[in-house]
Amino acid sequence: MSTPRGKMVNAFDPASLSGLSAETAEAIRRRQRLLGPAYRLFYKDPVQVSRGQGTKLYDRAGHEYLDAYNNVVPLGHCHPRVVEAVTRQMQTLCTHTRYIQDGILYYAESLLPGFGGQIGASGHMMFTCTGSEANDLAMRIARHVTGRRGIICTAEAYHGNSDLTASFSPSLGDQSPLGAWVRRVPAPDSYRGDPATLGQRMAEAVAEHAWELKRHGDGLAAFIADSLFSSDGIFGTPEVLGPVAEAVRAAGGLFVADEVQSGFARTGARFWGFQRHGVDPDIVSMGKPMGNGYPVAGIAIRPEVIAEFGRDTRYFNTFGGNGVAMAAAQATLDTIRDEGLQENVVRIGALMTEGLRALAARFPAIGDVRGAGLYLGVEMILPDGSPDAAAAARIVNDLRARRVLISATGPAANVLKIRPPLVFSAADTDRLLTETEAVLAAIYR
Ligand code: PMP
């Protein structure tokens, strides 16, 4: 199923300004006038944020919101260690990668070994400002080294906003064109499919599409997936992508692990999402949580994959890998390690999953609770088992009214999407569960 024209899950409808406070309505009109029609806001009553601290956001009136959605700040909003590192570096020097600087090298040294496999042993890092740029670069390199154009992604994938990455981001909707050389495979739906055969079936679909691409003369350059399948509806079954990687390699393609969502300890069990699948990727792309809010992203890559590209062309990105970006990334990585956040994800993720499963046992409208670590999906269903988008929308908005922020996802827009900062505490979890229970009790009286 493809998202209809321009639609985004949990988007505010600009035609429904009535019922909002005069201040909010005016701010929305001003936004439309200045920013135009392509931006989307969250919630039926959009939130005007003015400040953040830890797992909390505050609006102009000083009301506190529990942020159970923001994965861009794994350490929580405005973490002092990142603020201090960025400030200090900005006061010292902020320039690009055509000068020798220590920070970028120190960061690559800190991060690379943790990838394990071939990238861990001898890989390189290249830096961008956004996840879109990282995936764009990954595909340019994959096409250069394979001499082919074909790309396989999942049915509702999102990989970026550049011309190339949008062409393999079907979740942008049916008015956003896919590349003629793009093929889609169903995400491994552990709820509606047999969990035991997910990997095998996905691998078969990949092999079939790779063959078709070859027949059409494009051939497979790369397969790309977010190992949590966030926009496909969040699927956390491990060990699914192993057989897929084999099928990709058998077809001569590269395996690109898009870790923009699943990287940097988000899944708890492992630091990188692909590691839960036993895959040794050719390229890993990363972004979002990498600088705790500062724009820093990039790729890690096997040396053989980049050798020809490096010989035949060159790479420069004015802001990618600048000194301040590296300071933000280093402080974020060090803090994830020093504060034991991966362990916190395991502990709090288990607590949250358990609490949500207890709610599922009481409310049959919850069909499934799934995901990994602190990236959870709660699938809302109608009595006949079909997707209930209206229920998901209502829960998201009722929680927002109680100042708890989550969102929804999936091709049918019926999966609650919960992915808080990694510093989420037991008390935060208790508040999230208590408010969710109150919302469900009011809806399913
Ligand atoms: N890949 C995935 C899986 C993403 O979720 C996103 C952003 N939502 C991107 C790539 C693009 O990242 P950015 O917005 O930083 O360009």
Side-chain angles (χ1 to χ4, degrees):
M1 190 192 301
S2 197
T3 324
R5 186 183 287 255
K7 189 174 166 292
M8 185 191 83
V9 180
N10 187 25
F12 170 75
D13 176 2
S16 50
L17 285 173
S18 63
L20 300 180
S21 73
E23 193 200 356
T24 302
E26 177 46 30
I28 292 171
R29 277 190 215 101
R30 194 164 153 233
R31 243 178 87 100
Q32 284 174 312
R33 191 167 66 245
L34 295 167
L35 308 184
Y39 282 93
R40 301 285 181 273
L41 285 161
F42 274 163
Y43 307 114
K44 285 190 171 135
D45 181 4
V47 185
Q48 292 204 56
V49 288
S50 61
R51 192 167 71 78
Q53 195 65 53
T55 56
K56 313 296 185 327
L57 287 170
Y58 300 85
D59 65 18
R60 281 204 215 159
H63 297 125
E64 181 193 279
Y65 295 75
L66 178 65
D67 188 350
Y69 188 70
N70 197 323
N71 62 341
V72 181
V73 286
L75 317 180
H77 294 277
C78 305
H79 192 282
R81 201 159 156 192
V82 180
V83 173
E84 201 266 329
V86 165
T87 308
R88 188 164 17 94
Q89 187 59 45
M90 198 69 185
Q91 287 168 336
T92 310
L93 177 68
C94 181
T95 189
H96 57 75
T97 49
R98 283 191 170 145
Y99 299 101
I100 297 174
Q101 295 177 84
D102 272 344
I104 191 169
L105 303 178
Y106 188 74
Y107 184 74
E109 276 169 355
S110 314
L111 198 66
L112 278 168
F115 287 104
Q118 299 185 57
I119 293 176
S122 57
H124 305 308
M125 288 213 66
M126 295 166 80
F127 294 96
T128 62
C129 306
T130 68
S132 302
E133 280 183 288
N135 284 331
D136 194 293
L137 178 62
M139 286 307 167
R140 282 179 59 214
I141 294 168
R143 286 175 157 185
H144 193 91
V145 67
T146 61
R148 309 195 195 122
R149 289 201 308 166
I151 294 171
I152 299 178
C153 62
T154 55
E156 272 306 298
Y158 181 77
H159 294 293
N161 59 27
S162 67
D163 188 41
L164 176 58
T165 55
S167 75
F168 56 93
S169 292
S171 81
L172 285 172
D174 57 13
Q175 299 300 305
S176 179
L178 297 178
W181 24 262
V182 168
R183 297 292 182 278
R184 300 193 282 162
V185 293
D189 187 336
S190 50
Y191 179 51
R192 291 168 198 281
D194 172 9
T197 60
L198 292 174
Q200 203 43 49
R201 276 187 292 130
M202 199 168 175
E204 283 163 16
V206 165
E208 227 172 274
H209 282 301
W211 173 247
E212 276 299 312
L213 280 166
K214 190 172 174 197
R215 295 271 294 150
H216 287 284
D218 283 305
L220 180 64
F223 167 87
I224 183 166
D226 152 17
S227 68
L228 281 170
F229 307 97
S230 315
S231 48
D232 282 284
I234 308 175
F235 299 107
T237 309
E239 306 293 338
V240 167
L241 290 171
V244 174
E246 280 173 32
V248 170
R249 297 221 165 94
L254 300 188
F255 187 99
V256 180
D258 181 337
E259 291 283 333
V260 169
Q261 296 277 348
S262 58
F264 292 95
R266 173 60 56 183
T267 66
R270 308 296 298 269
F271 198 81
W272 298 105
F274 67 80
Q275 293 170 333
R276 298 176 63 247
H277 290 262
V279 172
D280 189 9
D282 298 293
I283 307 178
V284 177
S285 62
M286 66 203 85
K288 278 191 192 288
M290 192 170 176
N292 207 54
Y294 188 94
V296 48
I299 60 172
I301 188 164
R302 289 203 292 116
E304 307 84 86
V305 172
I306 184 69
E308 269 179 59
F309 185 92
R311 185 195 62 208
D312 298 342
T313 180
R314 62 174 184 270
Y315 177 67
F316 179 64
N317 184 321
T318 303
F319 298 116
N322 79 68
V324 177
M326 296 335 303
Q330 191 71 55
T332 303
L333 180 63
D334 291 347
T335 308
I336 290 175
R337 288 174 176 166
D338 294 350
E339 291 189 3
L341 292 186
Q342 194 172 340
E343 292 74 34
N344 192 60
V345 174
V346 172
R347 197 168 61 85
I348 300 298
L351 200 67
M352 197 181 287
T353 306
E354 196 184 304
L356 291 168
R357 294 220 162 114
L359 291 177
R362 280 180 46 205
F363 297 97
I366 297 180
D368 194 26
V369 175
R370 57 177 180 254
L374 279 178
Y375 208 120
L376 300 181
V378 178
E379 176 146 357
M380 303 310 301
I381 54 167
L382 291 163
D384 68 357
S386 59
D388 191 351
R394 171 136 187 227
I395 293 164
V396 165
N397 281 291
D398 287 1
L399 277 171
R400 179 259 172 266
R402 291 169 169 271
R403 303 202 181 105
V404 172
L405 305 179
I406 66 162
S407 193
T409 184
N414 68 317
V415 180
L416 305 179
K417 181 177 179 184
I418 305 172
R419 41 155 218 208
L422 305 187
V423 291
F424 219 63
S425 67
D428 292 331
T429 307
D430 187 51
R431 179 166 162 196
L432 170 71
L433 292 169
T434 305
E435 296 295 356
T436 305
E437 179 183 11
V439 163
L440 290 169
I443 298 175
Y444 301 103
R445 262 193 289 255

